[in-house]
């Protein structure tokens, strides 16, 4: 990666009360109006703008009136888990007495509302199915449900294909004709909006007063919305930043559910100092571990735990699953590196894309390994594992900036219709299934298509920084100000700074992390670089380094100190 400084942009329209560096950071990330800094709930986009939401409320209202069995069909990631938990809680508050959830086991049924999942719901006498974080591509599953006499509401945020399922209602900001300005809502965000509109719909029918029900305060769901939004790595546009900020405020103030509190504890995080990145790197992976290695129902039940004692018990098991996932991931990554070494490419002649397969790889972890390879080589990567269905391979793709991976898969499918059995996803991540016998051909086609779609310039990964920090601002107080200026996340990146430092100390900790003591102008700073190449570090010959870093706060035994999180480490040759 090449360290590149962001261009200075006009920030004069932002308040003078802001620190000048913060003001420039905001402007460089697209803040165009001071009002965008007020992350209040009354600034959320109007719920009425989501296409299909009123029809969804009509269908759900009828089901609650008749008290028919409702099944929520979730997904096996953190967004799907939080969406499912949110719907379960909200439906109870709205007066439903007969609702439950199903989550497809990725090893048996695959993704989404499949005909097999519909059959399971039918065995439970379901009359209404509500999908969360899935459904927009489940044409066959929806058709099967309708044939069995069920009604279906699809709530999703993924991009639709050429045709939509024949559901009774579809709520998805990315469906054709939807004017909702934010196309980046996570699945949990769509579910939250649906429940907000449902409360409004029932209020206008005098529902709560007639039944003696307390009108629910749906702000109590914002902890789930914030967690699922960040964990799904959707763009933090202004609307999503409001949802995340409000959820964080509630958690920090102690207003969160036992399941999230327990996950914070097992991750050794400070609840009152929680930041958005903790959702993505601490809480989210523990929930995801259930879906990757076992059954996501366990993660959902943790989020729905009625008390802290039961929540802690489940959180401990999720933590153990996450440790197992890490061990599996490390082994798979080593095997992936061995496969890449056999390709025998030079450092200046890396292929434009990678498609990798090993018959013993665990399909629950392929997405993480694809991400690791993509990060190291800065190439779009698909990692395949054996599916439990016959001779099929299941693949998980991760892409780089400038290559919309779902669009590329759609193009391949149009040019080679025999290659891909099914696919779906986003610009940066996607999933697909192929026949094992077609892997070699797919690998070739994928690499050639990526080479056609990518320019050499797009393969030169750029690490954008916000410039150098004066040494006096490499401080605990400025690090706290940066935290308060968030939330930071996808498409609204946490500030990264650059600078030249002298190495005072260096050592490896935890097998592959480089712990450093750096100095600049007689000031000493702790720093850490994760997952370094231990063949190159520690480096006794290195006396000075240019680094790109985030300003972090390290908390240890009650002490809080500034720490540099090293994103890029370049040795300066004398």
């Amino acid at each position: 990666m090449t360290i590149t400084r962001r261009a200075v942009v006009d920030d004069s329209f932002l308040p003078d009360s802001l620190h000048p560096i913060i003001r420039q950071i905001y402007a460089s990330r697209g803040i165009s109006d001071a009002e965008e800094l007020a992350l209040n709930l009354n600034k959320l986009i109007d719920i009425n703008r989501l296409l299909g939401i009123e029809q969804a409320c009509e269908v759900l209202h009828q089901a609650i009136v008749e008290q028919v069995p409702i099944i929520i069909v979730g997904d096996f990631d953190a967004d799907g888990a939080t969406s499912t938990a949110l719907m379960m809680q909200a439906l109870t508050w709205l007066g439903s007495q007969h609702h439950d959830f199903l989550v497809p086991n990725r090893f048996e049924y695959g993704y989404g509302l499949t005909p097999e999942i519909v059959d399971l719901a039918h065995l439970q006498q379901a009359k209404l199915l509500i999908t969360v974080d899935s459904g927009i591509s489940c044409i066959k599953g929806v058709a099967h449900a309708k044939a069995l006499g069920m009604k279906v509401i699809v709530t999703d945020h993924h991009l639709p294909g050429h045709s939509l399922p024949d559901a009774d209602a579809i709520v998805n900001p990315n469906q054709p004709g939807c004017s909702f300005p934010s196309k980046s809502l996570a699945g949990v965000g769509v579910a939250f909006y649906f429940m907000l509109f449902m409360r409004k719909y029932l209020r206008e029918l005098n529902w709560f007063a007639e039944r003696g029900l307390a009108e629910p305060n749906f702000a109590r769901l914002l902890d789930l919305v914030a967690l699922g939004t960040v964990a799904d790595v959707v763009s933090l546009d202004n609307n999503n930043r409001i949802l995340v900020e409000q959820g964080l405020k509630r958690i920090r103030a102690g207003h969160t559910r036992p399941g999230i509190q327990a996950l914070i504890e097992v991750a050794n995080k400070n609840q009152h100092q929680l930041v958005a990145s903790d959702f993505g790197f601490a809480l989210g992976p523990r929930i995801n571990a259930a879906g990757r290695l076992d059954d996501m129902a366990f993660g959902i039940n943790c989020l729905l735990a009625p008390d802290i004692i039961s929540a802690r018990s489940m959180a401990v098991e999720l933590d153990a699953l996450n440790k197992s996932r890490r061990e599996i991931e490390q082994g798979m990554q080593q095997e992936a590196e061995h496969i890449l070494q056999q390709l025998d490419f030079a450092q200046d002649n890396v292929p434009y894309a990678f498609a990798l397969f090993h018959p013993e790889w665990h399909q629950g972890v392929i997405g993480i390994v694809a991400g690791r390879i993509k990060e190291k080589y800065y190439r779009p990567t698909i990692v395949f594992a054996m599916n439990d269905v016959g001779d099929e391979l299941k693949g998980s793709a991760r892409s780089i900036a400038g290559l919309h991976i779902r669009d590329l898969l759609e193009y391949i499918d149009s040019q080679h219709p025999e290659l891909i059995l099914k696919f779906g996803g986003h610009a940066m991540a996607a999933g697909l299934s192929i026949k094992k016998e077609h892997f070699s051909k797919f690998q070739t086609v994928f690499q050639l298509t990526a080479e056609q779609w990518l320019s050499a310039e797009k393969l030169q990964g750029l690490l954008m920084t916000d410039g150098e920090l004066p040494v006096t601002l490499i401080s605990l107080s400025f690090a706290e100000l940066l935290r308060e200026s968030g939330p930071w996340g996808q498409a609204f990146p946490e500030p990264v700074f650059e600078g030249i430092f002298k190495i005072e100390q260096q050592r490896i900790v935890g097998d592959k992390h480089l712990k450093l003591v750096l100095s600049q102008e007689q000031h000493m700073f702790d720093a850490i670089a994760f997952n370094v190449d231990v063949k190159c570090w520690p480096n006794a010959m290195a006396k000075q380094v240019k680094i790109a870093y985030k300003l972090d706060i390290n908390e240890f035994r009650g002490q809080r100190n500034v720490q540099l999180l090293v994103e890029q480490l370049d040795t300066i040759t004398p």
Side-chain angles (χ1 to χ4, degrees):
M1 298 285 279
T2 303
I3 297 175
T4 304
R5 193 172 301 190
R6 295 179 188 274
V8 177
V9 297
D10 178 28
D11 59 16
S12 60
F13 54 89
L14 293 174
D16 291 337
S17 58
L18 290 172
H19 190 288
I21 291 178
I22 301 295
R23 194 166 60 234
Q24 178 63 203
I25 287 170
Y26 279 151
S28 70
R29 281 151 180 76
I31 295 292
S32 58
D33 192 313
E35 285 195 9
E36 294 180 45
L37 302 177
L39 301 179
N40 303 319
L41 286 174
N42 60 8
K43 301 288 187 182
L44 283 175
I45 298 169
D46 187 357
I47 53 179
N48 293 282
R49 299 189 66 177
L50 269 171
L51 180 66
I53 199 164
E54 187 161 2
Q55 296 95 310
C57 288
E58 291 172 359
V59 175
L60 179 54
H61 170 237
Q62 190 63 36
I64 297 177
V65 167
E66 297 174 2
Q67 288 297 334
V68 301
I70 301 169
I71 296 291
I72 301 154
V73 180
D75 189 18
F76 37 67
D77 65 2
D79 188 15
T82 51
S83 302
T84 303
L86 183 149
M87 290 291 293
M88 289 290 294
Q89 182 70 78
L91 287 178
T92 298
W93 290 342
L94 294 174
S96 170
Q97 297 173 16
H98 301 285
H99 58 277
D100 204 344
F101 69 87
L102 279 173
V103 181
N105 184 306
R106 73 165 78 218
F107 310 112
E108 294 182 41
Y109 302 111
Y111 169 80
L113 185 67
T114 60
E116 293 81 5
I117 289 296
V118 171
D119 286 335
L120 286 180
H122 187 57
L123 288 175
Q124 299 180 29
Q125 283 89 45
K127 299 300 181 187
L128 171 63
L129 302 181
I130 304 175
T131 71
V132 291
D133 190 33
S134 65
I136 198 66
S137 61
C138 300
I139 310 293
K140 293 180 181 178
V142 172
H144 188 48
K146 299 290 286 182
L148 291 173
M150 290 182 246
K151 295 195 178 225
V152 182
I153 298 172
V154 168
T155 76
D156 200 354
H157 69 123
H158 294 95
L159 296 172
H162 294 300
S163 58
L164 298 178
D166 185 26
D168 294 273
I170 298 175
V171 184
N172 182 339
N174 288 300
Q175 69 175 304
C178 185
S179 64
F180 193 79
S182 172
K183 304 301 182 183
S184 300
L185 274 180
V188 70
V190 177
F192 180 64
Y193 264 82
F194 177 24
M195 291 297 95
L196 284 179
F197 198 99
M198 190 67 197
R199 183 182 63 178
K200 172 177 175 285
Y201 183 93
L202 294 177
R203 181 193 301 138
E204 292 172 353
L205 294 175
N206 209 28
W207 174 270
F208 301 106
E210 287 181 359
R211 285 159 180 76
L213 295 173
E215 185 171 314
N217 174 15
F218 280 170
R220 293 159 64 190
L221 300 171
L222 285 166
D223 55 351
L224 290 170
V225 179
L227 170 55
T229 297
V230 175
D232 208 45
V233 202
V234 295
S235 296
L236 287 196
D237 59 14
N238 188 247
N239 204 65
N240 279 338
R241 289 181 68 234
I242 293 171
L243 293 171
V244 173
E245 176 66 8
Q246 293 298 319
L248 277 170
K249 281 185 174 180
R250 290 189 62 83
I251 294 171
R252 290 171 186 151
H255 303 310
T256 189
R257 65 201 59 249
I260 289 181
Q261 182 183 335
L263 287 167
I264 292 170
E265 290 174 2
V266 297
N268 294 316
K269 295 296 177 181
N270 184 334
Q271 180 173 339
H272 305 295
Q273 300 290 334
L274 204 72
V275 293
S277 60
D278 292 329
F279 291 139
F281 295 105
L283 277 63
R286 285 168 170 82
I287 297 173
N288 279 331
R292 293 187 186 282
L293 302 186
D294 198 335
D295 183 352
M296 182 49 89
F298 195 76
I300 295 167
N301 284 325
C302 179
L303 295 174
L304 291 172
D307 57 75
I308 190 62
I309 294 174
S310 58
R312 282 173 176 153
S313 175
M314 286 186 273
V316 167
E317 291 196 44
L318 288 171
D319 188 52
L321 279 173
N322 192 48
K323 289 174 182 174
S324 297
R325 185 270 304 168
R326 286 177 184 165
E327 293 173 1
I328 294 169
E329 174 199 333
Q330 288 174 359
M332 288 172 57
Q333 195 169 342
Q334 290 173 359
E335 290 168 343
E337 289 288 356
H338 179 67
I339 293 172
L340 291 173
Q341 288 171 10
Q342 292 179 323
L343 297 179
D344 195 29
F345 52 80
Q347 190 172 359
D348 59 352
N349 191 31
V350 181
Y352 275 60
F354 295 125
L356 307 175
F357 164 66
H358 191 289
E360 296 181 5
W361 280 347
H362 194 296
Q363 62 173 281
V365 187
I366 53 177
I368 299 176
V369 175
R372 300 287 189 222
I373 299 298
K374 182 265 293 187
E375 289 168 7
K376 180 173 181 179
Y377 294 96
Y378 203 70
R379 294 294 190 272
T381 301
I382 305 179
V383 174
F384 288 91
M386 289 296 301
N387 202 338
D388 292 334
V389 181
D391 61 348
E392 289 183 12
L393 303 184
K394 180 178 180 181
S396 190
R398 297 295 182 269
S399 194
I400 62 175
L403 181 70
H404 194 298
I405 192 67
R406 186 197 172 279
D407 285 356
L408 183 139
L409 292 176
E410 185 174 36
Y411 176 78
I412 290 175
D413 188 50
S414 68
Q415 300 299 306
H416 304 273
E418 79 287 355
L419 271 185
I420 302 177
L421 298 173
K422 57 184 177 180
F423 67 94
H426 298 294
M428 301 300 287
L432 70 158
S433 295
I434 66 172
K435 291 284 188 181
K436 181 182 178 182
E437 63 194 64
H438 291 159
F439 172 72
S440 294
K441 182 176 180 181
F442 177 85
Q443 184 181 47
T444 301
V445 170
F446 177 61
Q447 291 177 340
L448 289 175
T449 307
E451 190 167 348
Q452 293 167 7
W453 284 40
L454 284 166
S455 63
E457 290 75 22
K458 288 180 179 178
L459 296 175
Q460 303 302 313
L462 299 179
L463 179 55
M464 305 298 293
T465 80
D466 296 282
E468 293 188 52
L469 266 185
V471 69
T472 54
L473 289 182
I474 306 178
S475 65
L476 184 62
S477 59
F478 192 69
E480 288 173 335
L481 178 60
L482 288 172
R483 279 192 172 191
E484 294 164 4
S485 301
W488 311 102
Q490 183 73 11
F492 200 84
E494 185 176 352
V496 175
F497 303 101
E498 64 180 82
I500 295 174
F501 294 83
K502 182 180 178 183
I503 298 177
E504 302 292 343
Q505 297 177 27
Q506 52 177 312
R507 60 189 174 92
I508 293 293
V509 296
D511 294 331
K512 54 182 179 179
H513 311 314
L514 182 66
K515 188 76 173 174
L516 298 155
V517 176
L518 305 176
S519 67
Q520 191 182 84
E521 298 179 20
Q522 310 305 313
H523 294 266
M524 308 281 281
F525 305 105
D526 289 330
I528 188 164
F530 293 108
N531 300 313
V532 299
D533 187 344
V534 293
K535 297 176 184 176
C536 301
W537 295 98
N539 182 353
M541 302 299 294
K543 304 300 180 184
Q544 270 194 325
V545 286
K546 179 178 182 180
I547 65 171
Y549 65 93
K550 295 177 181 175
L551 206 56
D552 187 44
I553 298 172
N554 185 36
E555 300 183 34
F556 184 68
R557 294 180 179 174
Q559 297 293 315
R560 304 176 77 238
N561 297 291
V562 68
Q563 176 179 248
L564 311 186
L565 291 184
V566 179
E567 300 287 301
Q568 178 83 5
L569 182 67
D570 295 332
T571 304
I572 296 178
T573 305

